[in-house]
C-alpha cells in the first residue's frame, strides 16, 4: 500500500478546511442577499402592511404553529378595482363599447336594440342604466362569433391603442403598483397567485401574465359558451352568444372550487361582490387572511364605496374588521398608485 506523506495530508486538510469555509461564506452571503431584498416598497408603514407581513412570516416559517406547506399556499385576487382600476366604468366594458362602435356598420340590425344603439352612440350611462343584463349583452357582442385566436388578437390591438378617459394612460398601465409588489412578495414566499374576477376569463387571459405575472391557467372569470368546429379549414374553439358562468358574489367560491379544487389561504378584493370569496377563504380552519382595498384617494385615483354603482362596498367595510380582514386605506397605505 502506497504511503501518504505527512505534508500531503496537511495540504489536503488545509484545502478541505478552506473549501468548507468558502462554501459556508457563500451560503451565508446568498441568504443575506435574499433576506435584504425589499418588498412592498410602495406601501407606507402601518397596520395594513404589518398585518400582511406578519401573516406571510408566520405561515412560511417552518417552526411556526401557523406554518402552511408551500403546496397549500394559494392566494386569490379580484381584478377590477383590486389589481387595476374600474372607474369611471369597467375597462372591459370600454373594450366592448369600442368594439360595438367599430363593428356597427357591419351589423345594421344592432341599431334597433336600444342598449346596442346606446353603445354605438357612446352613451355609457344609458348602457349601465340597463343593469347587469345590458352589460352582459354588450360584452357578449364583443366576444361572440370569434375564434379564440381572433378574440385574443382583437383585445391585444385594443390594449395597444386605447387610453383611459381621465388619466390618458393605456388601460394595461392602470394597474396598481402596490398590488404588483404584493403579488411578487407572496410568490417569493411560495404562494401561488390566482385571479378570480367577475370580468371575462378570456379577456383577462390575453394580458394578465404580462401585467401581473399570472399565467392564463391561473385565471378564473365569467364566461360565455363555446363550441369546437372547423373555421377556415382549421379546427378551433368558437365563442357563441350564450352565457356560461358569472364569476361574481356567490359565484366566486364556485369558480374557485371548479377551477382550483382547493380552498385559498389568502383572498383579496375591493367590493361586496368579493364578500363571499373572502368569507369562503377565511371561514376555513387554520391561518387565513382576507384583504379589502378601500378606494379613499380622490386625488391620485377615485374615492368611492357604498354609494358607487361600480365597486360598491358596504358590507365588507361593516363586517370586515370583525372578521379580522385587513382593510387597506388607499390614500393612507400607498405611497404611489400606478407604475412609473
Amino acid at each position: 500500500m502506497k504511503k501518504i506523506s505527512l505534508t500531503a495530508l496537511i495540504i489536503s486538510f488545509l484545502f478541505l478546511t478552506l473549501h468548507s469555509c468558502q462554501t459556508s461564506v457563500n451560503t451565508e452571503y446568498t441568504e443575506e442577499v435574499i433576506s435584504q431584498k425589499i418588498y412592498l416598497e410602495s406601501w407606507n408603514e402601518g397596520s395594513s402592511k404589518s398585518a400582511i407581513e406578519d401573516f406571510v412570516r408566520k405561515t412560511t416559517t417552518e417552526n411556526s404553529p401557523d406554518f402552511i406547506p408551500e403546496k397549500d399556499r394559494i392566494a386569490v385576487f379580484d381584478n377590477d378595482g383590486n389589481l387595476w382600476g374600474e372607474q369611471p366604468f369597467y375597462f372591459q366594458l370600454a373594450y366592448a363599447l369600442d368594439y360595438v362602435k367599430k363593428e356597427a356598420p357591419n351589423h345594421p340590425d344592432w341599431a334597433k336594440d336600444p342598449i346596442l344603439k346606446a353603445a354605438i352612440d357612446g352613451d355609457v350611462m344609458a348602457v349601465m342604466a340597463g343593469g347587469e343584463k345590458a352589460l352582459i349583452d354588450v360584452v357578449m357582442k364583443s366576444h361572440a362569433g370569434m375564434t379564440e385566436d381572433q378574440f385574443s388578437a382583437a383585445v391585444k390591438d385594443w390594449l395597444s391603442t386605447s387610453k383611459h378617459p381621465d388619466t390618458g394612460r393605456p388601460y394595461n398601465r392602470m394597474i396598481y403598483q402596490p398590488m404588483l409588489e404584493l403579488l411578487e412578495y407572496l410568490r417569493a414566499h411560495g404562494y401561488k397567485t390566482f385571479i378570480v374576477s367577475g370580468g371575462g376569463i378570456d379577456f383577462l387571459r390575453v394580458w394578465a401574465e404580462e401585467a401581473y405575472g399570472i399565467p392564463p391557467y391561473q385565471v378564473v372569470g365569467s364566461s360565455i359558451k363555446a363550441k369546437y368546429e372547423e373555421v377556415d379549414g382549421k379546427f378551433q374553439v368558437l365563442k357563441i352568444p350564450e352565457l356560461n358562468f358569472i364569476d361574481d358574489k356567490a359565484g366566486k367560491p364556485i369558480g374557485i372550487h371548479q377551477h382550483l379544487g382547493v380552498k385559498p389561504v389568502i383572498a383579496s378584493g375591493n367590493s361586496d361582490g368579493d364578500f363571499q370569496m373572502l368569507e369562503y377563504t377565511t371561514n376555513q380552519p387554520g391561518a387565513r387572511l382576507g384583504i379589502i382595498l378601500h378606494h379613499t384617494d380622490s386625488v391620485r385615483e377615485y374615492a368611492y364605496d357604498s354609494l358607487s354603482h361600480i365597486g360598491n362596498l358596504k358590507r365588507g367595510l361593516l363586517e370586515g374588521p370583525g372578521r379580522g380582514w385587513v382593510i387597506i386605506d388607499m390614500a393612507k397605505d400607498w405611497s404611489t398608485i400606478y407604475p412609473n
Side-chain angles (χ1 to χ4, degrees), residues 260-297:
L260 276 64
V262 294
K263 296 179 176 67
V265 171
I266 299 173
S268 171
N270 73 292
S271 75
D272 285 349
D274 304 312
F275 189 94
Q276 288 86 346
M277 179 173 74
L278 271 71
E279 181 179 57
Y280 176 67
T281 299
T282 58
N283 273 358
Q284 309 305 322
R288 296 290 186 270
L289 179 65
I291 303 172
I292 292 180
L293 172 58
H294 188 194
H295 291 260
T296 58
D297 198 323

Side-chain angles (χ1 to χ4, degrees), residues 26-292:
N26 287 341
T27 302
E28 291 174 1
Y29 174 75
T30 302
E31 290 175 351
E32 183 179 355
V33 168
I34 292 173
S35 66
Q36 287 181 351
K37 179 173 174 58
I38 299 174
Y39 296 99
L40 307 181
E41 292 183 85
S42 298
W43 292 69
N44 294 324
E45 297 300 327
S47 59
S48 295
K49 181 180 180 181
S50 295
I52 292 170
E53 290 178 327
D54 290 345
F55 183 86
V56 171
R57 187 179 301 111
K58 72 180 183 180
T59 56
T60 59
T61 302
E62 288 196 14
N63 60 354
S64 166
D66 294 310
F67 175 74
I68 296 174
E70 189 166 334
K71 67 180 181 63
D72 297 324
R73 295 176 200 165
I74 304 294
V76 294
F77 290 78
D78 172 55
N79 182 60
D80 294 311
N82 192 51
L83 294 181
W84 76 345
E86 62 181 356
Q87 296 284 356
F89 49 87
Y90 296 120
F91 297 171
Q92 187 172 356
L93 177 59
Y95 163 74
L97 292 171
D98 287 346
Y99 179 87
V100 168
K101 283 189 282 187
K102 183 180 70 173
E103 291 294 317
N106 300 321
H107 302 273
D109 57 306
W110 286 359
K112 299 176 184 178
D113 184 310
I115 294 299
L116 293 178
K117 180 65 166 59
I120 294 168
D121 295 339
D123 190 347
V124 181
M125 299 311 297
V127 174
M128 297 189 66
E132 186 178 85
K133 183 182 183 304
L135 296 177
I136 291 173
D137 287 346
V138 173
V139 170
M140 202 174 289
K141 284 291 186 294
S142 69
H143 284 63
M146 281 190 277
T147 67
E148 54 189 320
D149 294 337
Q150 289 169 339
F151 179 75
S152 178
V155 173
K156 287 179 180 177
D157 179 66
W158 179 77
L159 286 171
S160 69
T161 57
S162 59
K163 293 185 178 180
H164 189 273
D166 294 336
T167 67
R169 297 172 68 92
Y171 280 102
N172 55 354
R173 300 304 291 169
M174 290 290 294
I175 54 182
Y176 298 139
Q177 177 63 29
M179 296 305 279
L180 293 179
E181 294 169 4
L182 178 55
L183 291 170
E184 180 189 17
Y185 176 60
L186 292 175
R187 289 194 289 259
H189 289 80
Y191 276 90
K192 295 180 182 67
T193 54
F194 293 77
I195 292 175
V196 180
S197 173
I201 188 171
D202 294 321
F203 180 80
L204 281 160
R205 284 175 169 173
V206 174
W207 54 271
E209 186 163 22
E210 182 178 351
Y212 308 131
I214 297 178
Y217 52 84
Q218 289 177 202
V219 173
V220 181
S222 300
S223 60
I224 63 173
K225 293 183 179 180
K227 60 183 178 179
Y228 181 66
E229 66 176 29
E230 187 175 2
V231 180
D232 298 328
K234 180 181 178 182
F235 284 95
Q236 301 184 63
V237 172
L238 183 71
K239 300 175 185 299
I240 57 178
E242 293 181 35
L243 189 62
N244 181 55
F245 180 69
I246 296 295
D247 190 52
D248 195 32
K249 301 184 174 83
K252 290 199 171 189
I254 295 172
I256 291 170
H257 166 72
Q258 292 180 338
H259 288 265
L260 276 64
V262 294
K263 296 179 176 67
V265 171
I266 299 173
S268 171
N270 73 292
S271 75
D272 285 349
D274 304 312
F275 189 94
Q276 288 86 346
M277 179 173 74
L278 271 71
E279 181 179 57
Y280 176 67
T281 299
T282 58
N283 273 358
Q284 309 305 322
R288 296 290 186 270
L289 179 65
I291 303 172
I292 292 180

